[in-house]
Amino acid sequence: GAMQGLVKHPFSDELDLSLRKVDPALPIPVETVTEVVDRIMAGRLGGQAPLAQEQPVGELGHRPVKKVLIHARGCTAVKLVRKALEAELEVVLVQSDPDMDSVPADMVRQAGAAGTVVPIGGNTSDESYLNALSILNIAEAQQVDALHPGIGFLSETPNFAALVRQKGINFIGPKVMSMETMGNKSNAISTTMSINVPVVPGSHGIIDSSEKALEIAERVGYPILLKAVHGGGGKGIVKVERPEHLHQLFHQVTAEAKSAFGNGDIYIEKCVTSLRHIEAQILRDQFGHTRVIGLRDCSVQRNNQKLLEESGSTLLSEQLRSEVLACAEKIATAVDYIGAGTVEFIYDVPSDAIYFMEMNTRLQVEHPVTEAVTGIDIVKQQFLIASGESIEHLTADEKGYALEVRVNAERCVIDGDGEVTFMPTPGKITKYRLPEQDDVELISMVDEGKTVSPFYDSLIIQIIIHGENRLDAIDRMRRYLEAVVIEGISTNISLVKRILSDETFRQGDYDTTYLPKFLNRIDVPALIAEIDEASGSRADVVDLDSLRIEGSQELRVLSPSTGVFYRTPSPSEPEYVNVGSEVEVDEVLCVLEAMKMFAPFRLTSCAGAGGALYPAGQRYRINRINVSNGQQVNEGDLLFVIEPMAAAPIAAL
Ligand code: ADP
Ligand code: ADP
Ligand code: MG
C-alpha cells in the first residue's frame, strides 16, 4: 500500500523528478494531496495503480537463474533455501530482526560463500517483509538476477512484480496481467465464466446497492455469502441467513472490505452448505505447455484455514476429477499463466458438482503432497520455468498417497461462550525431537533453543508423509507423530493425532464442517490437558506464595505467554486499568497480542496447580504497571504488582 500512498510534492514541482534521477526506479506519484483527500471522501480508497502499467508488455526477463533473493520467512524460507542450494544457486535471504537467528538464516550461513543473510530490520511484517522498496534496494545492492516472492507477503502483489522486473530482475512468478485478473475475485469469475468453467451461482459481478443485493439473493436463495472482491486468507466473507439481515450486513461488509483491502467492492455467492475444498496444481511455461500435475483435498479446516492436506480426494468421482483437471488447464491457458499456481474449486457435495472458487498465483503451503506422489519437484520447476526452460517433457503419474500436517504453535482454549478456539503460543523451544525418515519430508522452522516469535503466523512445521494408499499414509503419520517431542510451547499435534484416529476422517466421508463438529463431540478438557502435558509445561511450579513480594501484601502478576502488551482495546480507547484501579479477578487488565490474535488478560488467565491462582470474591488494587504500551513481553515477565483490598482477610491468601 505504501507505494500507492505517495503523493506529489506539495511545494516543489521538480523534486520528484530530481529524485527519479538519483534512483530511476523510484515510483513517480500521480496524485496531489488534495486529489487523494477528495478521492477518499468520495469513497474510493483503492486509487489507481500507476506502477503496474509501467511494465513493458511481454517483458518477463526470463534467463538462467544463478543468484536468487528469497523473500520469505519460516517454513517457506526453509523449503526455498533448501531447494535453491540443491540447485547450486547463490542465495540471498532477507530476514527481519527477530528472524536473524532463524533456522533458514542458519542454513544460509552454513552454505558459506553460496549464501548471504541480509537484515531488513523491523519486527512486524509491515515493518519488514512488506517494505517493498527496501527489498528492492537489497536485491539491487546484492546484484541478484532473480527474486522468489515465497508465499504470502508480496507474492500476489502485481505492482511489486512489476517493480522487480523494471529493475531487470527475474520475478519468479506469472505475468502482472495474470496476477491482476485472478487477484480480483469478481474479474476471476467473469474470466472463468467466459470460458465455460462452472462458477458458484451468484451475482457474478460487483453489486453496488443493497436493493440490488436483495434482488439477487432472492433469485440465488438463502443462505448467501457477501464476498469482498479483494478478500483473502479467509477474510472478507460474510454469511447472510435471511433477507432482513441483508441491508445492514451489506453496508458492514462494504465498510470492512474498504478498510481491510483498500477496496469496498463486494459480490454475492450462494452459500454451499456442504462442500469439500479441492484444488489443482498447475505448472505452465512461456511456450504454453500446461501441466495439471495433481489434485489436493484441503477440507479439514478451521476458520476457513487449512490444517491437513491430502494428495487426492476420496469423494470425487472419476468424472468430476477429470472435469477439475480440464477446467484448471483451461483457466491457466486463458490467463496465459506462467510458473506454478493453484486453482481452487468447491465440490458441492449434495449437488455433486464442482465450481471454480479462486486462483492463487503463487506456490502454496501444501504443494509438497503433490511432489510426494508425482516425484515432480515443484520449486525446482519454478526456477527452471523462470530460467526460460520448457516443461514439454514433463509428465505426472501419481504413486501412492500423501498427507501433510500443519503443526501450529497454539493451544486449545474454551472461551466465555463455551466455544473451542485456538490461541497462539509463541516462546522458546526447550526440547525438540523430530526423527528423520525416508517416507517423511520435514519442513521445520524450529529447533531446540530457537524461539517462536510472536510477530508472525503460528505455522512452525510441515510434516509430509507418503504411503501406499490413504489409510497407510494416515497410519504412518500417526506412528510418526507418536515419536515427536516438542516442549516449551504448545502445539496442535495432540489434536491431529485424534483426528488421524477418528473413524469419520479415516473413512474419508466429510466436508469443511468436519473439524468444528469433531471438536464438539470430543472431550475437549482432556485434549487441553494432553496438549499441556506434551508441551512439558508444569503448572504446579507457581503458587501464590512465590508471587508475594517479601515484607508486603503485594502480589506479582506474571505474563502467561510471549506477546505484545497493550493497555487499551484500540488506540482511540481508554486504558483498561491504571495505577490505583481496583479490579475483580475476571476484569480485563490488558491484552496480549501474539501472531495476529488478541487475547484479553485477566487475573483468571493465570492458573496454578490448584486452578485459579488469585482468589476470587475480592478486589485487587493495581499498584504498579511494569510494562509500557506496545512492549514485547516474554512468558514469566512481571506485568503488574497488585494488592488485595484491605477488606480481604489475609488468611484467605
Ligand atoms: P531527519 O529525519 O533525518 O532529521 P529532516 O527531514 O528533519 O530529516 O531533515 C534533516 C535536515 O535536512 C533539516 O534539518 C534541514 O536542514 C534539511 N532539510 C530537510 N528538508 C528540507 C527542505 N525541504 N528544504 C531545505 N532543507 C531541508
Ligand atoms: P480466500 O481468498 O480467503 O482463500 P476463498 O474464496 O478461497 O477465499 O474461500 C475460503 C474458504 O471459504 C473456502 O475454502 C470455503 O471453505 C469457504 N467458502 C468460499 N466460498 C464459499 C461458498 N460459496 N459457500 C460456502 N463456503 C465457501
Ligand atoms: Mg482460498
Side-chain angles (χ1 to χ4, degrees):
M3 293 192 296
Q4 288 176 33
L6 290 178
V7 290
K8 284 187 182 165
H9 196 282
F11 311 118
S12 154
D13 292 337
E14 276 91 54
L15 192 62
D16 290 324
L17 286 173
S18 315
L19 286 172
R20 192 75 187 256
K21 281 185 198 133
V22 180
D23 180 356
L26 200 76
I28 296 274
V30 294
E31 287 180 303
T32 64
V33 177
T34 320
E35 281 162 357
V36 173
V37 173
D38 286 348
R39 175 165 59 72
I40 289 174
M41 295 308 284
R44 283 177 291 118
L45 283 184
Q48 62 276 71
L51 304 167
Q53 292 146 19
E54 291 174 17
Q55 195 210 340
V57 182
E59 184 53 62
L60 280 163
H62 279 172
R63 62 171 183 279
V65 177
K66 294 202 178 85
K67 183 172 182 182
V68 63
L69 183 143
I70 292 176
H71 182 215
R73 70 168 304 280
C75 292
T76 310
V78 169
K79 172 84 182 220
L80 294 179
V81 168
R82 186 184 292 163
K83 287 293 154 190
L85 292 175
E86 258 176 46
E88 299 187 342
L89 305 179
E90 259 188 86
V91 172
V92 175
L93 179 69
V94 288
Q95 294 285 274
S96 68
D97 284 345
D99 283 339
M100 279 307 283
D101 62 354
S102 64
V103 167
D106 289 349
M107 289 165 70
V108 173
R109 289 192 197 99
Q110 277 153 20
T116 314
V117 183
V118 181
I120 41 173
N123 285 326
T124 62
S125 305
D126 273 337
E127 294 163 358
S128 54
Y129 299 103
L130 293 174
N131 187 341
L133 288 184
S134 146
I135 307 292
L136 282 167
N137 285 337
I138 293 168
E140 264 198 325
Q142 292 287 328
Q143 299 181 315
V144 298
D145 51 58
L147 182 147
H148 195 303
I151 294 176
F153 298 137
L154 300 168
S155 60
E156 292 184 284
T157 306
N159 281 343
F160 181 63
L163 279 172
V164 171
R165 290 189 181 131
Q166 242 174 49
K167 296 242 182 202
I169 296 167
N170 197 350
F171 178 85
I172 301 182
K175 292 182 179 172
V176 166
M177 179 278 290
S178 320
M179 292 167 89
E180 277 172 344
T181 308
M182 287 298 157
N184 177 318
K185 293 187 176 191
S186 169
N187 277 355
I189 288 170
S190 5
T191 306
T192 46
M193 278 176 76
S194 72
I195 52 170
N196 297 319
V197 168
V199 298
V200 188
S203 63
H204 302 154
I206 296 161
I207 311 255
D208 52 14
S209 73
S210 62
E211 289 73 32
K212 184 92 185 146
L214 209 59
E215 208 180 292
I216 288 167
E218 216 54 59
R219 174 166 60 71
V220 173
Y222 289 88
I224 55 131
L225 297 179
L226 296 172
K227 288 178 116 177
V229 164
H230 283 283
K235 306 215 169 61
I237 303 179
V238 170
K239 187 167 169 180
V240 187
E241 303 270 6
R242 336 147 69 98
E244 52 271 35
H245 299 158
L246 187 58
H247 181 75
Q248 190 249 328
L249 286 174
F250 180 88
H251 292 288
Q252 183 190 322
V253 181
T254 306
E256 282 170 5
K258 229 182 238 175
S259 84
F261 313 114
N263 178 308
D265 291 341
I266 53 178
Y267 63 102
I268 287 183
E269 247 175 36
K270 175 188 130 184
C271 179
V272 179
T273 44
S274 174
L275 72 95
R276 288 184 75 135
H277 176 115
I278 307 288
E279 56 185 42
Q281 175 69 51
I282 287 171
L283 288 173
R284 194 166 182 279
D285 66 19
Q286 60 177 323
F287 312 105
H289 302 116
T290 311
R291 298 288 179 270
V292 186
I293 64 170
L295 287 192
R296 296 188 285 261
D297 187 316
C298 319
S299 302
V300 181
Q301 300 184 352
R302 61 176 163 78
N303 314 331
N304 295 336
Q305 287 164 342
K306 302 157 187 166
L307 180 67
L308 268 176
E309 295 107 338
E310 311 184 25
S311 64
S313 184
T314 44
L315 279 186
L316 211 58
S317 63
E318 198 42 53
Q319 192 216 324
L320 282 180
R321 200 186 127 80
S322 328
E323 201 178 321
V324 167
L325 297 177
C327 288
E329 177 164 358
K330 269 207 282 195
I331 292 168
T333 307
V335 298
D336 195 11
Y337 197 78
I338 291 177
T342 299
V343 184
E344 297 188 337
F345 294 88
I346 286 178
Y347 170 48
D348 183 338
V349 182
S351 338
D352 193 33
I354 56 131
Y355 306 120
F356 167 79
M357 176 155 52
E358 66 159 348
M359 177 165 189
N360 291 316
T361 57
R362 54 165 167 83
L363 193 68
Q364 276 188 308
V365 172
E366 58 272 24
H367 76 275
V369 293
T370 306
E371 294 184 327
V373 293
T374 59
I376 295 175
D377 183 334
I378 295 173
V379 176
K380 183 171 159 194
Q381 293 300 326
Q382 287 190 296
F383 287 131
L384 292 178
I385 292 170
S387 294
E389 292 195 23
S390 158
I391 57 164
E392 191 177 5
H393 58 280
L394 203 69
T395 51
D397 296 312
E398 297 197 6
K399 275 202 197 70
Y401 204 90
L403 202 63
E404 173 177 89
V405 165
R406 297 194 190 201
V407 179
N408 297 324
E410 63 190 9
R411 71 195 153 101
C412 235
V413 288
I414 303 176
D415 70 12
D417 307 327
E419 296 269 327
V420 182
T421 58
F422 296 88
M423 288 306 302
T425 56
K428 188 166 175 172
I429 311 260
T430 51
K431 210 183 232 179
Y432 177 87
R433 197 171 73 219
L434 258 83
E436 302 273 341
Q437 223 171 275
D438 279 350
D439 56 348
V440 175
E441 178 183 356
L442 287 178
I443 306 175
S444 170
M445 58 158 281
V446 288
D447 205 344
E448 204 155 294
K450 294 284 182 195
T451 298
V452 179
S453 141
F455 298 109
Y456 313 100
D457 66 274
S458 58
L459 175 67
I460 55 167
I461 310 171
Q462 297 165 237
I463 304 177
I464 302 96
I465 263 185
H466 188 231
E468 278 162 31
N469 51 49
R470 185 167 183 271
L471 278 180
D472 182 43
I474 292 174
D475 287 333
R476 282 168 190 257
M477 183 67 88
R478 209 163 49 154
R479 282 198 297 274
Y480 185 81
L481 292 180
E482 288 301 332
V484 171
V485 178
I486 298 172
E487 290 186 6
I489 58 162
S490 301
T491 72
N492 58 349
I493 290 179
S494 305
L495 169 65
V496 172
K497 282 200 268 194
R498 284 173 186 239
I499 294 174
L500 296 176
S501 307
D502 179 51
E503 256 330 289
T504 312
F505 175 75
R506 294 175 70 84
Q507 279 164 16
D509 183 3
Y510 57 85
D511 60 22
T512 49
T513 62
Y514 167 77
L515 191 55
K517 284 183 187 153
F518 177 71
L519 288 170
N520 275 334
R521 65 182 154 85
I522 62 167
D523 180 356
V524 176
L527 172 66
I528 293 176
E530 206 175 302
I531 292 176
D532 284 347
E533 198 195 339
S535 76
S537 81
R538 282 192 302 278
D540 53 356
V541 293
V542 182
D543 64 15
L544 208 55
D545 263 340
S546 69
L547 294 172
R548 198 183 309 276
I549 294 176
E550 249 175 84
S552 79
Q553 292 300 319
E554 288 185 322
L555 296 167
R556 298 185 181 91
V557 180
L558 308 182
S559 177
S561 57
T562 302
V564 181
F565 176 94
Y566 291 107
R567 293 184 55 193
T568 63
S570 74
S572 56
E573 285 169 89
E575 282 83 12
Y576 289 108
V577 293
N578 284 298
V579 171
S581 301
E582 291 169 13
V583 296
E584 307 272 353
V585 289
D586 56 358
E587 276 179 56
V588 179
L589 304 187
C590 64
V591 288
L592 292 173
E593 182 202 7
M595 298 166 165
K596 304 183 173 25
M597 299 268 288
F598 288 85
F601 174 83
R602 308 170 168 90
L603 291 178
T604 49
S605 314
C606 307
L613 205 47
Y614 302 93
Q618 68 178 98
R619 295 173 73 78
Y620 295 85
R621 189 176 54 232
I622 310 281
N623 285 353
R624 190 141 70 89
I625 301 174
N626 204 46
V627 195
S628 40
N629 201 41
Q631 191 178 327
Q632 194 199 322
V633 293
N634 291 315
E635 182 177 347
D637 282 359
L638 179 65
L639 301 180
F640 300 94
V641 175
I642 59 171
E643 187 175 349
M645 298 299 290
I650 289 160
L653 291 177

